[in-house]
Amino acid sequence: MLAGCAGKTEKKIALRPNTPLTQAPPAMVASAWSMMTEQAALQNGVEQKLVEAIIAVESGGNPTVVSKSNAVGLMQIKASTAGREVYRARGRAGQPTKAELRDPVKNIDIGTAYLRILQRQHLAGIRDPKTLRYATIVSYANGAGALLRTFARDRSQAIAMINALSPEAFYQHVQKNHPAPQAPRYLWKVTTVYRTI
């Protein structure tokens, strides 16, 4: 997916499956976007390292990536879901355009604002910071509702059940019980990258 210099070696690399963790070391990705992630993290009250880990996994640091499901840019934002929710939280109608989402500054801002919405609204009440980080990661990829329903249909009851678990027990719960097969893999990938940057 990444375009490189002309040459046969680069073409072979371009034909490999899209595996962001093999495209660039996560620490390089994090440092490449650190000025933007720092500002967005400060403005939204979200941990910068989490934003950078999500960027490394979602796009490998490539701001032009568009997925098959129409997720765009560094943080792979879907305009009709996360983008629309951020716009609504900011009192704006509609959703971001593809051009906006291809802009690294706007993409990181919208993605980080969405992380804030997840943490302050959908996952509000989770007390342990590590558990909240795990819950945020899973919710970013598969929605907070799907995660909470693995505990209980009632949000308050689900939050209480989450708070009764250690971060490690919560992590194992997601690995065993999340209905989306990609959720446990995504949690593992982002957590692994988070530890390396």
Side-chain angles (χ1 to χ4, degrees), residues 8-52:
K8 292 181 182 180
T9 306
E10 291 299 319
K11 287 181 184 175
K12 286 180 186 173
I13 291 170
L15 294 175
R16 289 187 334 193
N18 183 17
T19 52
L21 291 177
T22 63
Q23 290 173 357
M28 267 178 80
V29 173
S31 112
W33 302 105
S34 64
M35 286 179 62
M36 293 174 206
T37 58
E38 180 181 19
Q39 182 178 352
L42 284 171
Q43 285 176 341
N44 288 288
V46 173
E47 187 183 10
Q48 180 180 0
K49 196 171 168 181
L50 175 60
V51 176
E52 291 170 347

Side-chain angles (χ1 to χ4, degrees), residues 125-127 151 154-165:
I126 297 177
R127 291 190 294 262
F151 290 93
D154 177 70
R155 184 191 173 284
S156 299
Q157 186 180 356
I159 297 292
M161 291 171 77
I162 290 169
N163 284 331
L165 298 176

Side-chain angles (χ1 to χ4, degrees), residues 72-75 77 100-101 103-111:
V72 180
L74 288 169
M75 295 187 75
I77 308 291
E100 282 179 280
L101 294 178
D103 177 324
V105 173
K106 291 179 181 172
N107 188 283
I108 291 170
D109 176 56
I110 291 168

Side-chain angles (χ1 to χ4, degrees), residues 102-180:
R102 282 194 178 110
D103 177 324
V105 173
K106 291 179 181 172
N107 188 283
I108 291 170
D109 176 56
I110 291 168
T112 307
Y114 184 62
L115 290 173
R116 176 188 171 102
I117 290 168
L118 288 172
Q119 292 183 341
R120 304 273 170 91
Q121 294 176 23
H122 302 295
L123 304 171
I126 297 177
R127 291 190 294 262
D128 186 279
K130 193 173 185 182
T131 302
L132 179 59
R133 183 174 70 241
Y134 290 158
T136 303
I137 292 166
V138 174
S139 298
Y140 187 83
N142 295 97
L147 170 66
L148 295 174
R149 282 190 298 275
T150 67
F151 290 93
R153 286 188 174 268
D154 177 70
R155 184 191 173 284
S156 299
Q157 186 180 356
I159 297 292
M161 291 171 77
I162 290 169
N163 284 331
L165 298 176
S166 68
E168 293 70 28
F170 174 85
Y171 188 100
Q172 288 307 313
H173 175 89
V174 171
Q175 295 297 317
K176 293 176 186 170
N177 299 300
H178 202 288

